[in-house]
């Protein structure tokens, strides 16, 4: 009997500009970084030797993610400037220095994985490739330098289309679930689109696309009813049992 030897995973070092990820997701997609899922994905493909996370966590909003990050790695570098009158942090400079130092000291990592979208990292990517390293770059869509993309061995724009789509589906289902406790509330197509968009400060168009997808797959459907003034109107109904069976909704997890 012949045994096939398992392929050894390439060793990787991971460097994350968490400000780029956090504020890019918040400002452009109204999402939070799914860092646990991302690290799990990396571990499937690489032997991750080191994970370093950089950011100014002095502000309340991004600072609330510190506990999550501490559960992933001990290498968290707080980059807030202590100099009076300086309004720009040094995250890029500190992260660049750490990458160069790591490359000089450690020779066993085949791949460098960077989460950043800033063109300032182009030169370090060139250097890493010159010394024989592969460089994979993850960056937030609409804030990802084309120059940096072109220099990388490979790159991934985040969030992926499937992640973004699932995020808007979650927002719709959470809204409809809240309304289940308000039986007198009439739930219509456009009321749902506008309410979800306004409540979550997201694009009406993206909510509409996600709702259309749920209607197309029959997770949500329309029924006619007679309104308070005798008019016939279409209202939305949700097949919660099917959503739970297909893993799109878990009531107990909310």
């Amino acid at each position: 009997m012949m045994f096939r030897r398992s392929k050894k995973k390439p060793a990787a070092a991971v460097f994350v500009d968490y400000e780029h990820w956090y504020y890019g997701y918040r400002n452009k997609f109204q999402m939070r970084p799914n860092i646990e899922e991302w690290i799990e994905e990396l571990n499937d493909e690489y032997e991750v030797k080191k994970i370093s996370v950089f950011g100014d966590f002095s502000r309340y909003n991004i600072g609330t993610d510190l506990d999550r990050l501490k559960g992933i790695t001990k290498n968290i570098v707080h980059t807030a400037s202590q100099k009076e009158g300086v309004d720009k942090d040094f995250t890029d400079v500190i992260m660049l220095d750490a990458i160069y130092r790591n490359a000089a000291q450690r020779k066993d990592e085949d791949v460098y994985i960077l989460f950043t979208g800033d063109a300032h990292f182009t030169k370090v990517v060139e250097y890493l490739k010159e010394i024989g390293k592969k460089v994979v770059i993850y960056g937030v869509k609409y804030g990802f330098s084309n120059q940096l993309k072109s220099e990388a061995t490979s790159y991934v724009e985040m969030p992926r289309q499937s992640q973004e789509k699932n995020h808007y589906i979650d927002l719709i289902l959470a809204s409809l679930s809240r309304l289940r406790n308000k039986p007198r509330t009439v739930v219509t197509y456009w009321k749902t689109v506008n309410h979800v968009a306004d409540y979550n400060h997201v694009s009406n168009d993206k909510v509409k696309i996600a709702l259309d997808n749920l209607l197309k797959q029959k997770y949500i459907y329309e029924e006619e009813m007679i309104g308070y003034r005798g008019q016939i109107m279409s209202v939305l109904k949700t097949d919660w049992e099917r959503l739970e069976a297909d893993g799109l909704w878990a009531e107990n997890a909310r």
Side-chain angles (χ1 to χ4, degrees), residues 9-27:
K9 296 178 182 178
V14 180
F15 296 84
V16 179
D17 176 353
Y18 199 70
E19 289 177 66
H20 167 73
W21 196 351
Y22 179 89
Y23 291 113
Y25 265 33
R26 190 187 73 166
N27 296 338

Side-chain angles (χ1 to χ4, degrees), residues 24-25 27-31 140-142 159 164 167-168:
Y25 265 33
N27 296 338
K28 296 179 174 64
F29 301 97
Q30 294 73 47
M31 294 173 67
V140 179
K141 279 190 287 190
Y142 315 124
E164 186 180 357
H167 172 64
Y168 288 102

Side-chain angles (χ1 to χ4, degrees), residues 79-240:
T79 61
S81 171
Q82 302 300 317
K83 293 184 178 181
E84 195 171 323
V86 176
D87 60 1
K88 187 184 186 304
D89 63 45
F90 299 103
T91 301
D92 288 358
V93 174
I94 294 171
M95 183 169 158
L96 283 166
D97 180 68
I99 295 170
Y100 279 115
R101 287 177 181 272
N102 192 83
Q105 295 168 3
R106 300 174 65 92
K107 307 298 182 184
D108 59 337
E109 292 151 346
D110 310 303
V111 181
Y112 276 66
I113 300 170
L114 313 183
F115 203 122
T116 182
D118 201 311
H120 292 160
F121 288 84
T122 303
K123 289 297 182 184
V124 76
V125 173
E126 290 178 2
Y127 168 73
L128 291 170
K129 289 167 62 180
E130 285 173 6
I131 63 173
K133 309 297 183 182
K134 292 183 178 179
V135 185
V136 181
I137 302 180
Y138 289 76
V140 179
K141 279 190 287 190
Y142 315 124
F144 197 164
S145 162
N146 287 329
Q147 184 180 359
L148 189 58
K149 291 178 191 176
S150 64
E151 194 60 47
T153 306
S154 62
Y155 69 87
V156 180
E157 289 190 315
M158 298 283 278
R160 292 185 174 89
Q161 189 173 11
S162 59
Q163 293 170 328
E164 186 180 357
K165 181 182 75 173
N166 290 340
H167 172 64
Y168 288 102
I169 287 174
D170 285 345
L171 296 182
I172 291 168
L173 296 180
S175 176
L176 294 175
S177 180
R178 288 192 296 269
L179 293 176
R180 281 198 282 179
N181 299 320
K182 300 177 180 179
R184 293 188 177 182
T185 302
V186 176
V187 181
T188 64
Y189 180 92
W190 284 110
K191 276 187 179 180
T192 299
V193 170
N194 293 327
H195 175 75
V196 172
D198 292 343
Y199 183 85
N200 296 285
H201 307 289
V202 298
S203 161
N204 290 59
D205 288 341
K206 289 182 178 180
V207 175
K208 181 179 180 299
I209 290 169
L211 182 55
D212 288 344
N213 188 52
L214 288 166
L215 285 161
K216 184 178 179 180
Q217 296 182 73
K218 310 291 187 191
Y219 289 116
I220 295 174
Y221 53 95
E222 291 185 293
E223 282 188 355
E224 289 189 345
M225 66 169 284
I226 299 175
Y228 298 120
R229 297 180 180 178
Q231 79 276 25
I232 297 175
M233 58 192 306
S234 293
V235 298
L236 296 183
K237 300 291 183 179
T238 307
D239 191 339
W240 294 106

